[in-house]
């Protein structure tokens, strides 16, 4: 691991222009990592541009930062290197994949177990709680000190990817890093209020709607809910407002595998978000539909109607929960 950090250090020092990107439907880790990487490169005197298929969701507007939302045809400043953060495959960066198709100078920094090592340089550590945990080490390696602003990016990333420090991906190192972040003087309580206590009313209404549609099968061990385009429009919420609802399903007593499906982005290609607890593995489950993620949080897209997709996922989930 140390050698790859040294190699990346040389590349970051040698390059002049960098494009930074992260996965579609960006989460706290993707967003925090992108802003932290941008800061790191700027401190090294580099020209940077952050580009992502999707805009920064309003949950993270409190950072007061934006990036370029990429649509084909948009002019982007030229770049020689690409840094891909928190994405297990190039498919996961959506339209930005086309933008970078002609460069092989890709630095892939990630913590997904399903990472395809698609970069010329890859720092992939499935034992890291988050991509930002790896970036913390990179800051140290590069001798760039962490300001309160950078600490807020990294803290939010680590906090959100660990379910507020509850998940299995937590290690002593995670807490050591977070202790160092707090030492910068960053106001963790204010950050947590921004993160968890500024919920738009549309999101609460959307959760209420989804709560009312919760379904259970297999003696209550599999839970799911469905979000349709029409329902989303009716609540006035955004698609990113549904993020996190699948965790509510997972937290139901007795539930082993939970999932949420939606046809919002594409009526014939259903997006599924999967969660599990205990020994159950949704990375493998999502993998059987060409998706992936982590053992207890994964996703995939499946062609078909909502009903067909729900049936397919339940069928696969049953293979795990009915075994004992
Ligand atoms: P979420 O359910 O929050 O969208 O995603 C949970 C986890 O699964 C994240 O780590 C995310 O990167 C991964 N993930 C979500 N959707 C997909 C997908 O379509 N393909 C792959 N490979 N991973 C996904
Ligand atoms: Mn992550």
């Amino acid at each position: 691991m140390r050698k790859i950090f040294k190699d990346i250090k040389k590349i970051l020092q040698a390059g002049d222009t960098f494009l930074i990107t992260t996965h579609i439907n960006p989460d706290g880790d993707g967003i925090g990592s992108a802003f932290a990487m941008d800061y790191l490169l700027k401190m090294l005197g580099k020209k940077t541009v952050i580009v992502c298929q999707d805009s920064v969701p309003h949950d993270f507007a409190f950072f007061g930062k934006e990036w370029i939302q990429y649509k084909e045809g948009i002019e982007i400043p030229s770049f020689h290197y690409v840094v891909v953060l928190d994405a297990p495959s190039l498919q996961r960066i959506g339209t930005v994949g086309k933008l970078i198709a002609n460069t092989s100078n890709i630095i892939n920094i990630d913590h997904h177990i399903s990472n395809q090592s698609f970069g010329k340089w890859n720092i992939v550590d499935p034992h890291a709680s988050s991509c930002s945990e790896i970036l913390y080490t990179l800051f140290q390696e590069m001798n760039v000190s962490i300001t309160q602003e950078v600490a807020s990016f990294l803290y939010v990333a680590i906090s959100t990817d660990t379910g507020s420090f509850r998940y299995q991906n937590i290690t002593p190192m995670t807490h050591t890093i977070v202790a160092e972040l707090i030492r910068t003087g960053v106001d963790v309580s204010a950050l947590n209020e921004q993160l968890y206590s500024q919920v738009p009313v549309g999101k609460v209404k959307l959760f209420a709607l989804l709560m009312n549609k919760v379904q259970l099968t297999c003696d209550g061990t599999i839970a799911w809910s469905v979000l349709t385009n029409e329902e989303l429009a009716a609540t006035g919420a955004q698609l990113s407002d549904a993020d996190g609802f699948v965790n509510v399903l997972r937290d139901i007593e007795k539930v082993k595998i939970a999932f949420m499906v939606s046809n919002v982005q594409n009526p014939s290609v259903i997006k599924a978000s999967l969660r599990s607890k205990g020994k159950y593995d949704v990375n493998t489950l999502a993998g059987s539909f060409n998706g992936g993620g982590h053992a207890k949080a994964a996703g995939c897209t499946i062609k078909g109607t909502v009903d067909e997709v729900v049936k397919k996922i339940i069928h696969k989930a049953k293979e795990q929960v009915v075994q004992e």
Side-chain angles (χ1 to χ4, degrees):
M1 209 66 193
R2 289 225 74 79
K3 180 171 182 312
I4 183 66
F5 275 102
K6 298 242 176 307
D7 292 347
I8 304 268
K9 181 178 180 176
K10 278 188 204 143
I11 302 299
L12 297 186
Q13 282 167 339
D16 285 326
T17 51
F18 291 83
L19 182 143
I20 300 163
T21 191
T22 186
H23 57 85
I24 56 175
N25 304 324
D27 58 6
D29 192 22
I31 295 162
S33 296
F35 290 150
M37 192 69 204
D38 187 57
Y39 177 89
L40 175 74
L41 287 168
K42 287 214 169 86
M43 287 309 286
L44 299 172
K46 312 299 173 180
K47 286 211 173 74
T48 61
V49 55
I50 315 178
V51 181
C52 182
Q53 175 187 296
D54 300 314
S55 57
V56 177
H58 59 71
D59 296 26
F60 300 95
F62 65 86
F63 282 140
K65 288 172 76 75
E66 248 304 346
W67 55 40
I68 298 176
Q69 185 182 6
Y70 185 68
K71 292 195 177 69
E72 234 175 304
I74 283 186
E75 204 144 318
I76 302 290
S78 64
F79 54 90
H80 284 108
Y81 290 90
V82 177
V83 186
V84 182
L85 298 161
D86 198 36
S89 68
L90 285 177
Q91 260 163 319
R92 290 281 295 150
I93 61 171
T95 53
V96 179
K98 280 195 191 133
L99 176 66
I100 65 163
N102 293 329
T103 176
S104 60
N105 289 332
I106 298 175
I107 302 164
N108 162 25
I109 305 178
D110 187 31
H111 70 123
H112 288 91
I113 194 161
S114 54
N115 191 285
Q116 294 172 2
S117 294
F118 53 83
K120 191 185 248 179
W121 304 276
N122 303 284
I123 309 187
V124 178
D125 181 3
H127 302 295
S129 68
S130 53
C131 182
S132 275
E133 194 174 311
I134 305 173
L135 287 192
Y136 178 88
T137 309
L138 194 59
F139 268 79
Q140 290 198 311
E141 202 66 51
M142 307 295 302
N143 258 325
V144 174
S145 56
I146 291 179
T147 61
Q148 283 186 18
E149 188 190 33
V150 174
S152 74
F153 301 148
L154 299 178
Y155 177 88
V156 165
I158 297 172
S159 169
T160 51
D161 248 31
T162 57
S164 305
F165 308 101
R166 285 188 301 150
Y167 297 159
Q168 206 178 19
N169 55 356
I170 282 285
T171 63
M173 181 51 89
T174 315
H175 283 292
T176 302
I177 289 173
V178 170
E180 289 306 318
L181 297 178
I182 296 173
R183 240 184 273 284
T184 65
V186 65
D187 187 342
V188 168
S189 143
L191 268 182
N192 279 310
E193 276 185 16
Q194 294 280 13
L195 264 177
Y196 303 115
S197 304
Q198 296 289 342
V199 183
V201 70
K203 180 167 180 157
V204 176
K205 289 186 175 167
L206 182 64
F207 268 42
L209 183 144
L210 292 168
M211 293 268 187
N212 274 316
K213 293 175 65 185
V214 171
Q215 301 198 62
L216 294 159
T217 187
C218 260
D219 197 24
T221 57
I222 300 173
W224 78 95
S225 195
V226 175
L227 174 64
T228 65
N229 217 343
E230 300 75 41
E231 289 167 339
L232 186 66
T235 58
Q238 299 177 9
L239 180 58
S240 63
D241 287 331
D243 288 354
F245 186 74
V246 68
N247 298 337
V248 177
L249 300 179
R250 174 205 57 203
D251 292 339
I252 298 170
E253 187 182 16
K254 276 175 76 181
V255 165
K256 294 168 176 170
I257 293 180
F259 65 95
M260 251 301 289
V261 293
S262 91
N263 66 357
V264 173
Q265 280 168 322
N266 186 331
S268 57
V269 182
I270 308 301
K271 157 81 186 149
S273 277
L274 300 124
R275 298 292 183 272
S276 63
K277 58 190 189 230
K279 64 181 181 184
Y280 303 94
D281 175 6
V282 284
N283 179 48
T284 312
L285 203 167
S288 57
F289 300 108
N290 293 319
H294 309 280
K296 294 184 179 179
C300 56
T301 47
I302 308 175
K303 280 200 183 124
T305 64
V306 165
D307 288 346
E308 285 162 2
V309 167
V310 165
K311 270 195 197 128
K312 281 185 186 171
I313 298 176
I314 290 175
H315 180 75
K316 276 280 158 202
K318 275 185 181 170
E319 286 176 9
Q320 291 193 36
V321 302
V322 175
Q323 265 173 10
E324 301 106 38

